[in-house]
Amino acid sequence: MLGAPGAGKGTQAKMIADKYSIPHISTGDIFRANIKNGTELGMEAKKYMDEGKLVPDELTVRILLDRVAKDDCKNGYVLDGFPRTIPQAEVLDSELTKLGDKIDYAINVDVPDENIVNRMSGRRACVTCGATYHIVHIPPKNPGICDKCGSELILRDDDAPETVLKRLGVYHEQTQPLIDFYENKKVLKTVDGTVDSADVFKQITDILG
Ligand code: AP5
Ligand code: MG
């Protein structure tokens, strides 16, 4: 899943994972779970995340490759928020080629910057299972509680408006070039991410079949 911060990558990736019974792998969720558990990785990642910067490629790639090597990834998986730099995409590509595997689709969820800041201030996230809500657009059944696992929902530290603007800048500079990268590989599919989340999902399932 490609897209700006707040484009709805996580929301859609969860729905894809449920429909096709494959794991949803979000590097952001992995980092946040490590921060919550106070691990060394979490402490390292937090320094970058709180400033809206990317965690260094070397660390991120290692975490991701360990994760996709697990047994539950044998029948496929949906990557959310990885790769987000050209070097990450190149390493992923070469590691998958070694395994005789490849990326089937790079789904770009397209949402203009103007819509993003508003979405983020209303976001509530579950750090336990990774589910995402919006207080107006996609509210949980009980305020502050995750529908899926019953845990408490949080406002992410990096969703402060000034940090969101920094993340958008980082996105345009370092991640947007991946759109051309995957276009050249003929796997890019762009969907309109400004419509209702069910309608975004419809566009995606039309592509995935
Ligand atoms: P990460 O967790 O990946 O954050 P992000 O890319 O900034 O994206 P978000 O999770 O903020 O947005 P999303 O697209 O998932 O949107 P969502 O579905 O929640 O990364 C966080 C940080 O970790 C990075 O800044 C970096 O520091 C680090 N990191 C992670 N991966 C890395 C990597 N590969 N390399 C280096 N560093 C890395 O939706 C947003 C809101 O909108 C929600 O409230 C949702 O309910 C609502 N919404 C969703 N769809 C709709 C819709 N159609 N209409 C209305 N509202 C909607
Ligand atoms: Mg996300």
Side-chain angles (χ1 to χ4, degrees):
M1 307 297 296
L2 293 175
K9 302 181 296 295
T11 303
Q12 297 300 324
K14 269 248 165 302
M15 293 161 85
I16 295 170
D18 286 348
K19 180 174 163 75
Y20 297 95
S21 301
I22 53 174
H24 163 212
I25 302 176
S26 154
T27 37
D29 286 354
I30 295 174
F31 291 139
R32 278 184 291 279
N34 275 275
I35 292 171
K36 190 181 172 204
N37 295 329
T39 69
E40 211 171 300
L41 165 69
M43 286 188 300
E44 181 64 18
K46 188 171 168 37
K47 291 193 281 194
Y48 300 93
M49 291 170 75
D50 283 354
E51 290 199 17
K53 294 181 183 156
L54 295 183
V55 176
D57 285 343
E58 203 193 61
L59 186 61
T60 309
V61 165
R62 190 153 38 88
I63 302 297
L64 190 277
L65 292 178
D66 280 353
R67 179 64 189 87
V68 299
K70 294 216 156 65
D71 263 2
D72 63 341
C73 290
K74 287 220 160 60
N75 295 323
Y77 44 86
V78 50
L79 294 180
D80 159 16
F82 185 97
R84 63 210 278 161
T85 64
I86 294 281
Q88 289 181 14
E90 284 171 342
V91 176
L92 179 65
D93 215 41
S94 67
E95 290 298 317
L96 290 179
T97 305
K98 280 187 211 159
L99 299 169
D101 215 340
K102 64 173 174 52
I103 297 276
D104 295 315
Y105 300 99
I107 297 174
N108 176 32
V109 184
D110 189 30
V111 176
D113 289 9
E114 304 84 87
N115 303 30
I116 298 287
V117 178
N118 162 40
R119 274 196 190 184
M120 300 302 229
S121 57
R123 170 162 59 186
R124 296 295 180 272
C126 176
V127 182
T128 306
C129 77
T132 304
Y133 303 86
H134 188 282
I135 51 175
V136 178
H137 306 300
I138 308 172
K141 290 197 186 83
N142 299 306
I145 306 292
C146 180
D147 291 352
K148 297 210 171 92
C149 75
S151 300
E152 193 191 344
L153 300 176
I154 59 147
L155 182 63
R156 274 170 45 177
D157 287 343
D158 60 349
D159 278 350
E162 61 277 13
T163 315
V164 171
L165 291 177
K166 275 195 215 152
R167 287 161 60 201
L168 271 173
V170 169
Y171 166 76
H172 288 300
E173 195 182 306
Q174 302 194 54
T175 306
Q176 210 171 12
L178 292 176
I179 293 177
D180 283 345
F181 180 92
Y182 286 114
E183 174 83 70
N184 289 335
K185 293 199 177 288
K186 312 242 183 301
V187 292
L188 185 79
K189 304 280 177 190
T190 294
V191 297
D192 175 5
T194 63
V195 295
D196 191 80
S197 65
D199 295 328
V200 181
F201 190 55
K202 170 81 173 56
Q203 298 173 65
I204 294 176
T205 52
D206 283 349
I207 293 163
L208 301 181

